[in-house]
Amino acid sequence: MATRNRYEELARAVSAFGAVKRGLARTLPVDCQGGPAAVLALVKHHGGMRMSRLAELMAVDMSVCSRHVAHTVEHGWIERLPDPDDRRSRILRLTEAGDGMLGELDRRVTESFSRHLAEWSDDDVELLTDLLARLRDSFGDCRAHHA
């Protein structure tokens, strides 16, 4: 019974974490919220890629991915280049403006954490970071199970 209560409490804590995510989202520029921000971060991290790969990494349908990519292209943050292996396909690439927007996103999120966790010790912030990474690793690659 103790194990069940421990996991029930964890489930409540993880559910309540949505408030933290919403608070962080409020710090982002209005024109670069969750989906477009994820597009920029993934293309920066993984390099140029086809839209199908991006949709897989985002664990979303192609239509959702396409909408987010179109938004980033309209703002000049992502460009679509011909795929050298298949001229009918396009490779998504981060532009200089997109790299600048990512820098702005990082700055805003970092400042928000700095404000909200000002009274936390460095050790506590490091512990939280390590535990969140460990939690994520325990779930493995959730994209593989996305339907």
Side-chain angles (χ1 to χ4, degrees):
M1 187 66 166
T3 300
R4 182 170 178 206
N5 288 338
R6 178 176 64 187
Y7 293 127
E8 287 173 352
E9 190 61 32
L10 176 59
R12 283 190 284 281
V14 169
S15 293
F17 197 74
V20 174
K21 289 180 71 174
R22 287 186 298 278
L24 288 173
R26 284 191 291 274
T27 70
L28 300 179
V30 173
D31 60 346
C32 195
Q33 292 288 308
V39 168
L40 297 179
L42 288 167
V43 173
K44 168 100 180 192
H45 180 75
H46 294 279
M49 68 183 80
R50 290 182 178 179
M51 183 117 46
S52 57
R53 174 69 175 140
L54 180 61
E56 177 185 310
L57 289 169
M58 292 178 72
V60 297
D61 291 333
M62 280 291 285
S63 62
V64 172
C65 184
S66 181
R67 193 169 52 248
H68 293 314
V69 168
H71 180 85
T72 62
V73 169
E74 289 169 15
H75 283 81
W77 303 325
I78 293 285
E79 60 185 349
R80 294 180 180 121
L81 302 171
D83 183 340
D85 296 330
D86 181 355
R87 290 291 198 202
R88 297 167 297 170
S89 296
R90 297 284 178 250
I91 297 292
L92 305 174
R93 191 180 75 103
L94 190 68
T95 65
E96 190 174 321
D99 197 48
M101 176 52 74
L102 263 178
E104 177 66 13
L105 297 174
D106 288 344
R107 183 189 66 75
R108 288 178 182 223
V109 169
T110 299
E111 285 178 1
S112 181
F113 276 126
S114 180
R115 272 192 320 277
H116 289 91
L117 304 182
E119 296 181 15
W120 287 42
S121 71
D122 289 346
D123 288 343
D124 283 347
V125 172
E126 185 176 344
L127 177 61
L128 176 63
T129 302
D130 291 346
L131 290 173
L132 287 172
R134 186 173 167 196
L135 177 65
R136 172 65 178 93
D137 289 346
S138 293
F139 277 81
D141 187 353
C142 298
R143 292 179 305 256
H145 306 292
H146 185 270

